[in-house]
Amino acid sequence: MRIGELSERTGTPRRLLRYYEEQGLLAADRAPNGYRDYPEGCVDRVLQIRGLLASGLPTRIIKQILPCINDPRAIHVSDPTPETIATLEDERRRMTDRIECLLRSRDAISNYLEAVRRAQRPTAAR
Amino acid sequence: MRIGELSERTGTPRRLLRYYEEQGLLAADRAPNGYRDYPEGCVDRVLQIRGLLASGLPTRIIKQILPCINDPRAIHVSDPTPETIATLEDERRRMTDRIECLLRSRDAISNYLEAVRRAQRPTAAR
DNA sequence: TCAAACCCTCACATCGGTGTGAAGGTCAAG
DNA sequence: CTTGACCTTCACACCGATGTGAGGGTTTGA
């Protein structure tokens, strides 16, 4: 698929798809005319990237994480230097922190909304 | 406590504490000499702020969320305009998305690390 | 064959969070 | 009284993600 379709299906500006490629997060081969040609799987991949970016991870880290997600079960034990492993462990910890922070805050919002709801519908269907 | 202590106890540059105040996330009263004077609770508050920032939320949103977290059980039903409520619901959804994305990715990393570990210690204590 | 709708690269701009430092006031200890 | 460690405000700089648009090629359909 070409960049326009990928853009539409992922809700991502073309500009950013090119940027992700430049950052090494996304690969596309090229049609003879130079147009990018994306395989189907890119849709999910782009959504992953956007999700992680929205969660505060920089492209540099996402680049290291993506292979772990994509390799469908088949780990290439080829590359992982002890250094890479350390980075991954580090980043996993950071992600756990984020998750906990978000969970706490989300629950607080839920409680708040719930309380407001109760206060607004004072002693209704009870 | 003064800004230096708060900075040290939260691992946050003074610069940012002032920035958070400027953004309306943090309040300090002033000593007669103009120095900021923070109450004890600010330590937790700052950590919350940093956690949410690291999770990709902008100060504008954090500002709306913090009151829900701080109000210890006692909701001020005073302010919440229907508009504010809508924003909160929206943001809660976004946070849920983030949480799910992070969970998926973290689990993928865990699986990966686990697999690498198994591959590196080939048929050990078994 | 021409217009519209794609695509390309390149480059400059914006925005939010953060770094850094200048210029100066306050306070405690020697 | 001075020195050093704090604090103040202000301003400019940086970095990563994103917006925008110029200048130009390709494809499709009227």
Side-chain angles (χ1 to χ4, degrees):
Chain A
M1 103 192 60
R2 284 179 306 179
I3 201 172
E5 185 181 343
L6 183 58
S7 166
E8 216 167 311
R9 286 175 62 186
T10 61
T12 306
R14 293 158 174 73
R15 167 71 170 95
L16 290 185
L17 296 176
R18 300 197 183 100
Y19 175 67
Y20 300 155
E21 177 176 344
E22 181 188 318
Q23 299 299 306
L25 306 184
L26 200 56
D29 35 75
R30 298 297 182 120
N33 52 8
Y35 289 10
R36 286 173 180 81
D37 182 21
Y38 297 96
E40 184 63 24
C42 277
V43 175
D44 286 340
R45 192 174 176 97
V46 168
L47 294 178
Q48 267 292 343
I49 293 173
R50 303 225 85 201
L52 291 174
L53 276 174
S55 303
L57 282 77
T59 56
R60 175 178 44 88
I61 297 297
I62 298 178
K63 188 175 173 180
Q64 296 192 278
I65 289 178
L66 280 180
C68 313
I69 298 178
N70 277 27
D71 279 48
R73 202 64 51 166
I75 311 296
H76 294 187
V77 198
S78 42
D79 357 305
T81 82
E83 201 188 36
T84 301
I85 299 213
T87 306
L88 285 177
E89 276 167 347
D90 246 50
E91 211 53 40
R92 182 177 50 173
R93 189 182 48 69
R94 260 187 272 278
M95 290 171 83
T96 299
D97 291 348
R98 277 181 243 255
I99 289 167
E100 276 163 12
C101 179
L102 287 171
L103 276 175
R104 273 199 312 274
S105 304
R106 190 193 56 174
D107 291 352
I109 294 178
S110 290
N111 289 339
Y112 181 86
L113 287 174
E114 184 58 27
V116 168
R117 239 177 283 275
R118 264 199 302 272
Q120 266 180 351
R121 203 189 310 104
T123 343
R126 172 164 288 260
Chain B
M1 109 192 56
R2 283 178 306 177
I3 200 172
E5 186 182 344
L6 184 58
S7 165
E8 217 167 309
R9 287 174 63 186
T10 61
T12 307
R14 293 158 174 72
R15 167 73 170 93
L16 291 185
L17 296 176
R18 301 198 182 100
Y19 175 66
Y20 299 155
E21 177 176 343
E22 181 188 318
Q23 299 299 306
L25 306 184
L26 201 54
D29 37 75
R30 298 297 183 120
N33 52 7
Y35 290 11
R36 287 174 179 79
D37 183 21
Y38 297 96
E40 184 64 23
C42 276
V43 175
D44 285 341
R45 192 173 174 99
V46 168
L47 294 178
Q48 266 292 344
I49 293 173
R50 304 223 85 201
L52 291 175
L53 275 175
S55 304
L57 282 78
T59 55
R60 176 178 43 88
I61 298 297
I62 297 178
K63 188 175 174 180
Q64 296 192 279
I65 289 179
L66 279 181
C68 312
I69 298 179
N70 277 28
D71 279 48
R73 205 61 52 165
I75 310 296
H76 293 188
V77 199
S78 41
D79 356 306
T81 82
E83 200 187 37
T84 300
I85 298 215
T87 307
L88 285 177
E89 276 168 347
D90 246 50
E91 212 52 40
R92 181 175 55 172
R93 190 182 46 68
R94 261 187 271 277
M95 289 172 85
T96 298
D97 290 348
R98 277 182 242 254
I99 289 167
E100 277 165 11
C101 180
L102 286 170
L103 277 175
R104 272 198 313 275
S105 304
R106 189 192 57 173
D107 291 353
I109 293 178
S110 291
N111 289 338
Y112 181 88
L113 287 174
E114 184 59 26
V116 168
R117 239 178 282 276
R118 264 197 301 271
Q120 266 180 353
R121 204 191 308 102
T123 344
R126 175 164 287 262

